[in-house]
Amino acid sequence: MTQLDSLRAALGRAGVDALWISDPANVRAVSGFTGGKDGKVLVAGDGATLYTDARYTVQAQEESALPQVIARPPETYRHAAGALQGLRVGFEADRLTVAELDDLREHWPGADLVPTRGLVQALRRRKSGAELAHIREAQRIADAAFAGVRPSIQAGARELDIALELELAMRRAGAQSAFEIIVASGPNGARPHGVASTRVIRDGELVTVDMGARVGGYHSDMTRTVAVGDPGAELRRMYRAVLEAEETAIAAVRPGVRAADLDRVARDLLTGHGLGEAFAHSLGHGVGLDVHEGPSLRDVSEDVLEAGMVITIEPGVYVPGVGGVRIEDLVLVTETGHEVLSTSVKERL
Ligand SMILES: CSCC[C@H](N)C(=O)N[C@@H](C)C(=O)N[C@@H](C)C(=O)O
C-alpha cells in the first residue's frame, strides 16, 4: 500500500472525499516537494495534485512525481474548484489560517469544507528505513558538533558564541540547524527555551545546550546539561534527579507503552525528589519532518508507542533565580524495545 493509498483510507474513515493539504511538512511527506508554504496538495478522487508557483517549476519537477499545476492563488483555487463540486473537502484545521479558509469558501462554493486534524501526521509517526537514515545522520552530525564544541563551554565563554560554534560545525558537516540552538547558563537555565545571549558563563554554573541538525528535511533533537567547575550541592541534586528520571523513562520505552504512562514515570520520580512542580513541560515528542510531531509524551496524551517511532525523552527542572537542568535523548522505538540514537556523553555529577 502506498502512502497515498493509506491517506485515502484515512480520508474515508474521517468522512471526507478530498483533502486540501497546506502544512509544509505534510505537503513534503505526500509529494516530496520541499518548497514549504509555497506548495499545496489536493488529494481527490484517484489522484493527488501538487500546486506551486513559477518560482518552483524546476524544483517541483525534480522533487515530486505528482501531477503539478503552476499557479498562484486565486488561480490555484479556481483550478481546483472544478474537481470539488459536491464533495466533502477536508482542510487542516491546525494549519489553515482564517483568511485562507475564507478564500476556500469563496472559490469553492460547491464544496462542503470540513475541518480535519492530523490525517497526514498520523501516517508520519512510524518512520521508513529511508527516513530513519536521515534522522540517524542528523543525530550523528549533532553529536559530532557537540563533541567538538564541548571543550569551549567554559567560564568566560558567551552563550551565543557556543551556539554559533555548534551551528557552524553542523553547517560545515552539510546539515542545517534544526532550530535556534538553546544555550542557557546559570539562572538562564530556568528558561526551558532560553535564547543564547551575550551572557558570559561563570565558574560553578550549569549550562543547558539543546540542539539538533536537519538532514534531508528530517530533524534530530538532543539536550545536554554540563557543569562548568563545581556547581554545588543544590544544582548537583537537581541534575541527578533529572538524569535518574531520564534513564528510568528511557528504560521503559517499548512498543505498546502508553505515552502518558512514560510521562508519569518521569514525573513521579521528580515529584519524589520534590521537583515535580519544576518539571514544566511534557516528557517528549516525536521527531521527523517537524521537530515536534506525534506521538506526544504528555500526561493527557492518548498515544501508544509503536515500533518505528522516533521520540525524545527529555525531563527537565527549572527553578527561577537558581537555574535549570534538561537532559534529552533521541530514541527509536524498536520491535523489542528501543535504541538510543544520540550518543553525546552525559555528565555524572
Ligand atoms: C524550539 S524547538 C526546541 C526543541 C526542544 N528540544 C524541545 O523539544 N523542548 C521541549 C521542552 C518542548 O518544547 N516540548 C514540547 C513538546 C512541550 O512540552 O510542549
Side-chain angles (χ1 to χ4, degrees):
M1 206 186 213
T2 67
Q3 202 183 39
L4 216 48
D5 291 334
S6 307
L7 182 55
R8 270 194 217 95
L11 299 198
R13 289 192 295 275
V16 294
D17 310 304
L19 182 66
W20 179 248
I21 303 176
S22 51
D23 176 279
N26 288 344
V27 167
R28 183 170 184 156
V30 170
S31 71
F33 179 62
T34 67
K37 63 178 178 39
D38 295 318
K40 307 281 184 285
V41 171
L42 178 65
V43 180
D46 289 341
T49 305
L50 171 66
Y51 289 90
T52 187
D53 66 70
R55 292 170 295 173
Y56 299 98
T57 307
V58 173
Q59 184 180 328
Q61 277 168 2
E62 281 174 3
E63 293 179 343
S64 181
L66 294 185
Q68 292 155 27
V69 173
I70 303 296
R72 279 191 180 205
E75 289 78 19
T76 309
Y77 303 137
R78 287 194 200 113
H79 181 277
L84 300 177
Q85 280 292 110
L87 298 189
R88 283 172 61 79
V89 182
F91 63 89
E92 296 174 316
D94 49 4
R95 169 56 63 169
L96 203 75
T97 66
V98 175
E100 286 165 340
L101 181 56
D102 274 352
D103 288 343
L104 297 190
R105 286 200 175 112
E106 181 189 335
H107 290 94
W108 300 347
D112 182 8
L113 286 163
V114 180
T116 66
R117 284 171 189 251
L119 294 181
V120 182
Q121 284 91 333
L123 305 177
R124 289 168 38 200
R125 290 175 173 221
R126 297 178 63 154
K127 272 55 184 183
S128 68
E131 292 178 302
L132 199 49
H134 286 313
I135 295 173
R136 282 183 191 278
E137 178 63 0
Q139 185 56 53
R140 188 194 65 74
I141 288 172
D143 280 322
F146 184 75
V149 174
R150 173 66 186 89
S152 303
I153 308 177
Q154 296 182 359
R158 295 187 307 170
E159 292 175 351
L160 66 81
D161 291 318
I162 303 298
L164 277 172
E165 275 191 61
L166 287 167
E167 175 149 5
L168 197 60
M170 292 193 289
R171 299 288 292 250
R172 283 210 169 108
Q176 284 158 315
S177 190
F179 48 86
E180 191 170 344
I181 296 167
I182 295 165
V183 180
S185 63
N188 284 353
R191 305 162 186 243
H193 283 181
V195 174
S197 71
T198 54
R199 185 177 190 280
V200 175
I201 297 167
R202 297 192 197 146
D203 192 49
E205 290 183 341
L206 292 183
V207 183
T208 299
V209 179
D210 186 340
M211 59 181 290
R214 186 165 77 240
V215 172
Y218 288 83
H219 299 81
S220 68
D221 192 3
M222 170 189 78
T223 306
R224 291 291 181 264
T225 299
V226 303
V228 174
D230 180 356
E234 186 176 8
L235 292 174
R236 203 181 285 275
R237 191 180 73 80
M238 283 164 57
Y239 184 91
R240 286 180 181 162
V242 172
L243 185 59
E244 185 187 351
E246 204 238 2
E247 292 182 338
T248 307
I250 288 177
V253 171
R254 61 179 184 281
V257 169
R258 292 180 62 240
D261 291 343
L262 274 184
D263 179 274
R264 178 53 53 202
V265 163
R267 210 164 289 279
D268 284 350
L269 237 149
L270 288 170
T271 302
H273 287 284
L275 290 166
E277 291 294 312
F279 182 10
H281 49 74
S282 63
L283 179 66
H285 52 87
V287 180
L289 283 172
D290 285 318
V291 182
H292 287 170
E293 58 181 49
S296 165
L297 279 68
R298 280 185 71 193
D299 51 356
V300 295
S301 174
E302 298 194 345
D303 296 338
V304 175
L305 298 191
E306 294 172 45
M309 289 177 165
V310 176
I311 59 172
T312 66
I313 297 290
E314 51 176 316
V317 295
Y318 310 93
V319 181
V322 175
V325 177
R326 180 163 66 257
I327 305 172
E328 172 183 24
D329 278 299
L330 191 65
V331 179
L332 168 67
V333 184
T334 64
E335 297 290 346
T336 52
H338 63 267
E339 177 188 344
V340 180
L341 303 180
S342 37
T343 60
S344 291
V345 171
K346 279 181 251 186
E347 303 213 349
R348 303 276 148 187
L349 295 181

